[in-house]
Amino acid sequence: MGINWYTQVQYLKGVGPKLGSILERKGYDTVGKLLYNFPRTYEDQRAMLELSKLVPDQIVTLRTHIQKVSSFNMGRSKRKIYEVMVGDSTGKVKCKFFRVPYRGYFQRFQPLQLVRISGKVTNYRGSIEFHHPTIDPITDDETMEDELIPLYSETEGLTSAKMRRLIQVALFHLTDKKNFTEHCFPDSLPDWLEKKYQLMSKQEALKEIHHPPLDVAEPLTFFRSPAQKRIIFEEFFWLELYLASKKTGFKNQTSPKMITNPKWTSQFLNSLPFELTGAQKIAFQEIHKDIAKSQPMHRLVQGDVGSGKTLVALLAALVAVESGYQVSFMVPTEILAEQHYKNSLKFFENLPVKIGLLTGKQKTKEKNDNLEKITSGEFDLCIGTHALMQKDVSYKNLGLVIVDEQHRFGVNQRKELRSKGQAPHFLVMTATPIPRTLAMTAYGDLDVSIINELPKGRQVITTKKALANKRDKVYGFMLDQVKKGRQVYIVYPLVEESEKMDLKDAVSEFEKLKNLFPDTRFGLLHGKMKSDEKENTMGLFRDHKIDVLVSTTVIEVGVDVPNANLMIIEHSERFGLSQLHQLRGRVGRGAHKSYCVLMLGYAQSDEARMRAEVMEQNSDGFKVSEYDLEMRGAGEFLGTKQSGLPGFKMANLVRDLEILKLAREAAFDVFEKDPKLKKEEHKALLKTLYENHKDIVG
Ligand code: ADP
Ligand code: MG
């Protein structure tokens, strides 16, 4: 039998039991998976660099010789620095390693050995160095030719050269005409799609990526060669096809048609001391139009913190309740649930809306009571945490599900909620604006409304980073604000003191601050406090019985105290950008000029400082989240496991927006032209998706 895509790698020439087990451990157990191990970068042998001509920040690959390997202790600690000196007649350069890449790494090198180095040129105190470059011995069978050498990530026992040879063997077999079957390059895009979008075949693409012709050297390094584009397109296409199929599937369900001429909403709006912003009006109209149809709404409302999303959601809830249906309103924290509950009671006090609260911390009796009232239909609007989603909750006639601050919920929980009741309408509100690529992938089955306008009078929050040596000045500023009658948040990353990390924790700093400034009223809020304690403290802060609230990130979402105009974030280097932006959104909600101070510990990294600078320079949440996505990658941005995104092998959500748009268009086009998939060629696509892309369809 010939070798095909699914063949185990042991059957390839040159793979013994030892290499076989390394490959398996790395996830390359089949030929197909091996071919999806893409080169990290390429070495262009024509452009031989001289060591003396290196410029800082260049990313280079070059050939040179090992001179010496040495190691020494770093300061007084036990940690070692390894130093590999390389060089030739054109110069010498130090390669530094602060950790050992893998056992035996340095033992591979002997003086005068020819090696290939690739990495970023670093300027360290005026001299040129490499930090953690990749160093590969160059083997004898590697001839110097005019070609691009693909370089693969290395591990113990698996060099780039070895990987390259294996992949070439695999490609040789798969493209052999005598051996060719449909299993050589399976589950690929059909010809008609490749033609329509002018894509090369998968076979050609893989060949070119692992053995590229010289003339694509430049586009290859930017992931813009036609071969790479082909692979990226396909990775996006199957995901988009899944999203398109889901979206089409929604349309086949029925859900309650809400009334088109509600009275309660205008009554409620008239009771407010302000007008809706234009963006709020449009978002509400979009939602109302959706829920007045018998197909379920699946809509995402995006808007910066404080843009008034919650209010829009409450309007939608009113329409549903007036239409005779129940609404489930889910929020990520207890504090927020309680706050929303209280606000809604006040908002709707003159309307016949019965509001219930359900949280995980409620006593059994209270909870059972509430559950009963949800089941009997006594509660019209049920506000709560994820407790609302548990199995023991059954609604009488659930018509609308609202999820506030979606970010924390994740795609999978979204699925669970949907299965409650008979296809309720579904509204997600997100406070962290989602970059476009993610809106097209992780949330690609939802329609989107954007609230891109803040209520009148909201101002830009002046943001400044400060090193710990400016602490006294920062406290001085804090006292000034308190004297003027304002209120302050101080946020810490941890609850309890941790000996290992020198992090100021909320509890001990609270004690310290109280002693330091006895005339100021401090309050403490953290996640380990009991529910009623938390609620009590929040109440005191809201009523201005507390001047400065010392807290952990429990205040991150939704908390609304317009008189607070200063936020001090301690150890801001420990927070991600989106989180910083969320926190900052707690101030700037009233008429007062507002400030955010980002305290940086001494041990901050370049990246932490960059984050602080992004915050100083950007007040627009969309901008901040684009930076965030760029700096952290999609998995981290959404919370790795919750992203619901397949692990892309080559596609990159930051870099490949243009290809993503194309793949999305291609996938949605299929369902638009043929929603019932009557054509064989369309049916076949869906079959491939469900049979071969389990990582996507779950
Ligand atoms: P988000 O949920 O987007 O963070 P909220 O709906 O909680 O925002 O609104 C934040 C604050 O602004 C609340 O106090 C709310 O009552 C108020 N608010 C909402 N819409 C407006 C508006 N159009 N004009 C003035 N204030 C508003
Ligand atoms: Mg909100």
Side-chain angles (χ1 to χ4, degrees):
M1 213 191 69
I3 283 173
N4 67 38
W5 188 263
Y6 302 108
T7 308
Q8 298 288 312
V9 278
Q10 298 92 280
Y11 296 104
L12 286 179
K13 196 171 150 256
V15 181
K18 193 163 157 222
L19 182 55
S21 79
I22 294 175
L23 287 169
E24 197 173 324
R25 208 173 52 228
K26 291 265 123 197
Y28 309 128
D29 52 333
T30 62
V31 168
K33 288 185 190 159
L34 199 60
L35 292 184
Y36 259 69
N37 175 27
F38 296 117
R40 213 167 24 80
T41 178
Y42 297 86
E43 178 190 355
D44 188 344
Q45 302 204 340
R46 294 164 305 175
M48 276 301 150
L49 280 164
E50 289 183 13
L51 285 179
S52 59
K53 303 223 168 104
L54 296 179
V55 179
D57 294 331
Q58 254 179 325
I59 294 173
V60 295
T61 299
L62 51 85
R63 289 173 177 238
T64 185
H65 294 90
I66 299 277
Q67 302 270 346
K68 195 171 96 185
V69 180
S70 51
S71 69
F72 45 88
N73 289 337
M74 204 156 72
R76 273 171 297 140
S77 73
K78 286 219 183 89
R79 292 188 41 203
K80 275 191 161 143
I81 295 185
Y82 289 82
E83 204 175 273
V84 180
M85 180 70 86
V86 297
D88 46 45
S89 58
T90 73
K92 278 188 195 171
V93 168
K94 272 182 200 162
C95 303
K96 280 189 186 158
F97 293 82
F98 303 101
R99 60 195 139 72
V100 184
Y102 54 78
R103 205 152 43 86
Y105 187 84
F106 296 105
Q107 278 82 319
R108 300 185 307 160
F109 305 127
Q110 280 101 46
L112 296 183
Q113 186 179 13
L114 181 62
V115 290
R116 173 190 297 115
I117 298 193
S118 51
K120 187 168 162 186
V121 181
T122 306
N123 177 359
Y124 180 72
R125 298 193 176 157
S127 60
I128 292 288
E129 300 184 343
F130 286 102
H131 293 171
H132 284 269
T134 309
I135 308 180
D136 313 323
I138 293 176
T139 43
D140 293 340
D141 59 344
E142 227 181 82
T143 47
M144 281 280 280
E145 278 166 34
D146 271 0
E147 62 176 332
L148 288 173
I149 307 260
L151 300 179
Y152 300 90
S153 300
E154 304 213 319
T155 40
E156 186 176 359
L158 190 57
T159 61
S160 174
K162 205 179 264 180
M163 179 54 86
R164 180 172 161 234
R165 258 196 312 275
L166 273 178
I167 289 178
Q168 297 307 329
V169 170
L171 276 172
F172 172 81
H173 285 294
L174 293 192
T175 54
D176 181 6
K177 290 220 173 57
K178 278 178 282 168
N179 160 57
F180 199 83
T181 70
E182 59 181 313
H183 296 307
C184 282
F185 294 93
D187 69 51
S188 190
L189 299 174
D191 292 346
W192 63 268
L193 249 176
E194 288 181 351
K195 230 196 210 136
K196 190 168 167 190
Y197 288 89
Q198 295 168 355
L199 301 167
M200 59 166 71
S201 71
K202 185 149 164 176
Q203 172 180 346
E204 267 179 284
L206 288 172
K207 229 162 88 183
E208 194 168 309
I209 286 165
H210 293 294
H211 195 164
L214 274 172
D215 59 343
V216 292
E218 167 117 0
L220 262 183
T221 35
F222 297 107
F223 288 84
R224 281 292 167 274
S225 79
Q228 289 163 320
K229 193 176 146 190
R230 162 66 173 79
I231 299 295
I232 294 168
F233 181 98
E234 183 174 335
E235 284 196 295
F236 283 143
F237 178 78
W238 295 116
L239 174 64
E240 291 300 332
L241 190 74
Y242 173 62
L243 294 170
S245 79
K246 266 200 346 191
K247 201 162 175 180
T248 312
F250 298 153
K251 292 195 185 131
N252 297 328
Q253 302 172 318
T254 42
S255 39
K257 261 173 103 151
M258 304 302 175
I259 54 174
T260 49
N261 54 343
K263 305 214 167 46
W264 298 357
T265 43
S266 30
Q267 201 178 321
F268 167 55
L269 285 173
N270 288 336
S271 76
L272 290 176
F274 51 76
E275 273 233 25
L276 290 187
T277 63
Q280 281 174 311
K281 282 184 194 155
I282 293 171
F284 176 56
Q285 275 163 13
E286 286 169 341
I287 294 164
H288 194 182
K289 210 167 133 199
D290 282 358
I291 60 179
K293 288 186 195 150
S294 58
Q295 292 170 341
M297 167 178 75
H298 288 266
R299 186 170 284 279
L300 172 71
V301 176
Q302 293 193 43
D304 220 334
V305 248
S307 61
K309 296 178 297 295
T310 307
L311 198 74
V312 170
L314 288 174
L315 284 169
L318 265 186
V319 176
V321 175
E322 193 179 344
S323 305
Y325 293 93
Q326 283 175 300
V327 177
S328 170
F329 193 144
M330 263 204 333
V331 299
T333 66
E334 309 253 328
I335 293 190
L336 205 52
E338 277 151 20
Q339 185 181 297
H340 276 19
Y341 175 66
K342 287 221 173 98
N343 285 342
S344 313
L345 283 177
K346 211 159 70 200
F347 274 151
F348 297 157
E349 66 189 345
N350 296 319
L351 289 165
V353 179
K354 190 96 182 31
I355 305 168
L357 176 68
L358 195 72
T359 69
K361 295 237 169 104
Q362 282 169 346
K363 301 232 167 62
T364 315
K365 163 131 190 359
E366 190 184 359
K367 201 170 161 195
N368 286 343
D369 255 19
N370 289 336
L371 284 172
E372 233 178 86
K373 288 176 179 164
I374 293 174
T375 309
S376 71
E378 187 179 333
F379 283 152
D380 302 309
L381 172 57
C382 317
I383 298 177
T385 55
H386 58 275
L388 279 175
M389 207 170 54
Q390 261 131 33
K391 285 197 186 63
D392 51 355
V393 188
S394 72
Y395 296 83
K396 182 159 177 243
N397 55 355
L398 183 61
L400 171 66
V401 172
I402 300 169
V403 180
D404 196 7
E405 319 290 358
Q406 145 80 18
H407 224 88
R408 303 242 173 135
F409 277 107
V411 175
N412 293 335
Q413 280 140 309
R414 226 166 80 198
K415 277 185 201 154
E416 274 177 62
L417 242 182
R418 273 181 200 164
S419 62
K420 289 256 169 232
Q422 8 72 321
H425 296 285
F426 186 75
L427 186 65
V428 193
M429 329 282 292
T430 167
T432 306
I434 294 170
R436 273 202 300 167
T437 44
L438 286 183
M440 276 189 241
T441 50
Y443 304 92
D445 53 334
L446 306 179
D447 295 310
V448 179
S449 294
I450 292 179
I451 305 187
N452 54 1
E453 184 185 350
L454 292 180
K456 268 199 213 88
R458 291 282 157 77
Q459 2 101 4
V460 172
I461 299 156
T462 301
T463 303
K464 281 263 181 294
K465 62 178 189 296
L467 283 175
N469 60 6
K470 292 277 157 55
R471 178 171 302 282
D472 289 346
K473 244 178 113 179
V474 173
Y475 284 156
F477 186 67
M478 172 182 87
L479 295 178
D480 276 354
Q481 295 306 315
V482 170
K483 215 179 280 159
K484 284 183 185 156
R486 299 288 80 73
Q487 286 167 281
V488 180
Y489 296 101
I490 304 182
V491 182
Y492 293 88
L494 282 187
V495 189
E496 271 154 61
E497 203 151 17
S498 135
E499 287 179 341
K500 281 222 187 87
M501 284 178 285
D502 175 32
L503 293 179
K504 297 215 162 9
D505 72 281
V507 180
S508 66
E509 279 307 293
F510 166 66
E511 296 298 334
K512 220 191 268 173
L513 283 165
K514 265 200 316 197
N515 291 330
L516 216 51
F517 308 113
D519 299 337
T520 306
R521 297 169 301 175
F522 287 92
L524 175 66
L525 188 72
H526 61 71
K528 296 223 168 131
M529 282 161 58
K530 290 218 183 68
S531 209
D532 47 349
E533 283 178 309
K534 275 194 268 184
E535 191 35 44
N536 184 37
T537 306
M538 260 332 284
L540 290 174
F541 192 59
R542 231 174 280 145
D543 299 340
H544 202 168
K545 302 266 161 47
I546 289 173
D547 300 308
V548 180
L549 186 64
V550 177
S551 88
T552 58
T553 52
V554 290
I555 58 134
E556 185 181 336
V557 280
V559 172
D560 192 19
V561 179
N563 189 46
N565 75 328
L566 169 62
M567 167 157 292
I568 300 169
I569 303 178
E570 293 283 351
H571 282 289
S572 66
E573 73 274 8
R574 300 231 121 220
F575 294 97
L577 269 176
S578 292
Q579 211 181 359
L580 289 174
H581 183 70
Q582 281 279 307
L583 286 169
R584 180 170 64 178
R586 297 307 113 217
V587 295
R589 298 186 150 232
H592 314 289
K593 170 82 197 120
S594 296
Y595 308 88
C596 176
V597 179
L598 304 171
M599 300 298 299
L600 285 167
Y602 288 113
Q604 26 89 9
S605 61
D606 283 355
E607 208 184 301
R609 210 177 40 248
M610 255 159 66
R611 281 199 298 267
E613 280 160 16
V614 168
M615 291 296 293
E616 286 180 335
Q617 287 152 23
N618 293 279
S619 54
D620 177 357
F622 278 91
K623 283 265 165 52
V624 172
S625 66
E626 297 273 355
Y627 279 110
D628 198 21
L629 178 61
E630 208 162 305
M631 288 165 99
R632 289 196 299 165
E636 291 268 322
F637 184 91
L638 291 169
T640 321
K641 292 211 181 72
Q642 304 190 332
S643 74
L645 292 174
F648 297 122
K649 292 289 187 295
M650 184 179 275
N652 174 313
L653 284 171
V654 177
R655 186 189 61 208
D656 300 327
L657 175 65
E658 291 311 311
I659 305 173
L660 171 60
K661 277 194 207 152
L662 214 60
R664 183 170 172 87
E665 178 196 301
F668 276 72
D669 197 42
V670 169
F671 283 94
E672 218 147 274
K673 298 224 169 90
D674 183 12
K676 298 238 155 79
L677 298 190
K678 289 199 173 119
K679 282 194 179 166
E680 280 311 317
E681 64 191 38
H682 293 158
K683 235 182 257 164
L685 274 180
L686 211 67
K687 189 163 167 270
T688 308
L689 171 67
Y690 275 87
E691 280 175 4
N692 295 324
H693 296 276
K694 297 262 178 341
D695 55 331
I696 294 173
V697 297

